[in-house]
């Protein structure tokens, strides 16, 4: 017990206490998760469908590239929000900016028929599968 208290005190003095390090961020609701690409992937016999949440990102700041069975999605976000009281005193200032990128592997796709649509903060990418692609099981016999 004494050792645990000693370690806790050492962590606090070294600045590695996560509660106190993040106190200001949690108090003002600053959240780093807004720079993440949360996504859903659906597969049908004819296509893959990818839905990515990108709220607040302008369509011109998105880039999609499909090469060697890898879809790369890159987005850049710049936002600025200040809140002041009636006298103009700054109460909170939030700035969020950055570039995020994520890769997804989709084999056997007809790259010329890939479509993308951005609506209500959600990017939907449809990747049709090649007609000649045969689903084969790679079963390995154990001897």
């Amino acid at each position: 017990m004494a050792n645990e208290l000693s370690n806790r005190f050492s962590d606090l003095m070294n600045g590695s206490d996560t509660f106190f390090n993040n106190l200001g961020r949690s108090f003002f609701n600053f959240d780093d998760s807004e720079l993440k690409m949360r996504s859903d992937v659906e597969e049908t016999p004819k296509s893959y469908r990818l839905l990515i949440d990108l709220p607040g990102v302008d369509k011109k700041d998105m880039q999609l590239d499909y090469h060697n069975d890898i879809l790369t999605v890159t987005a850049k976000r710049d936002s600025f929000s200040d809140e002041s009281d009636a006298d103009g005193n700054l109460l909170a200032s939030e700035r969020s900016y950055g570039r995020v990128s994520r890769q997804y592997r989709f084999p056997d796709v007809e790259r010329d028929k890939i479509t993308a649509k951005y609506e209500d903060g959600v990017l939907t990418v449809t990747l049709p599968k090649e007609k000649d692609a045969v689903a084969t099981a790679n079963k390995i016999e154990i001897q």
Side-chain angles (χ1 to χ4, degrees):
M1 175 76 169
N3 200 17
E4 284 182 41
L5 289 174
S6 176
N7 288 340
R8 180 78 168 147
F9 181 75
S10 294
D11 288 345
L12 179 62
M13 299 317 285
N14 291 333
S16 61
D17 189 309
T18 57
F19 175 77
F20 288 106
N21 284 343
N22 293 321
L23 181 62
R25 294 183 79 71
S26 62
F27 180 75
F28 288 108
N29 293 324
F30 297 132
D31 185 7
D32 292 336
S33 68
E34 66 185 58
L35 295 177
K36 296 179 183 173
M37 287 188 186
R38 303 202 186 275
S39 59
D40 297 326
V41 179
E42 301 169 353
E43 182 179 9
T44 68
K46 294 183 179 185
S47 68
Y48 300 101
R49 187 169 157 217
L50 175 64
L51 294 100
I52 305 172
D53 289 342
L54 290 169
V57 177
D58 196 330
K59 192 166 43 174
K60 69 177 177 51
D61 293 328
M62 295 178 201
Q63 181 178 353
L64 284 87
D65 180 51
Y66 182 80
H67 184 70
N68 292 335
D69 295 343
I70 303 291
L71 176 70
T72 303
V73 180
T74 305
K76 181 181 79 166
R77 180 179 320 164
D78 296 318
S79 67
F80 180 79
S81 174
D82 279 341
E83 295 182 26
S84 301
D85 65 7
D87 297 327
N89 297 318
L90 184 64
L91 298 177
S93 176
E94 294 185 25
R95 290 174 176 83
S96 172
Y97 59 90
R99 178 176 296 275
V100 291
S101 182
R102 189 161 177 191
Q103 294 183 322
Y104 306 83
R105 184 174 185 284
F106 297 109
D108 305 319
V109 168
E110 289 190 56
R111 64 183 299 141
D112 295 337
K113 295 186 179 179
I114 297 173
T115 61
K117 179 180 174 184
Y118 183 65
E119 187 174 48
D120 297 328
V122 178
L123 176 65
T124 302
V125 184
T126 305
L127 303 101
K129 293 180 181 178
E130 292 178 345
K131 292 178 184 175
D132 297 335
V134 178
T136 59
N138 294 324
K139 186 176 179 180
I140 300 171
E141 296 249 352
I142 301 173
Q143 296 181 13

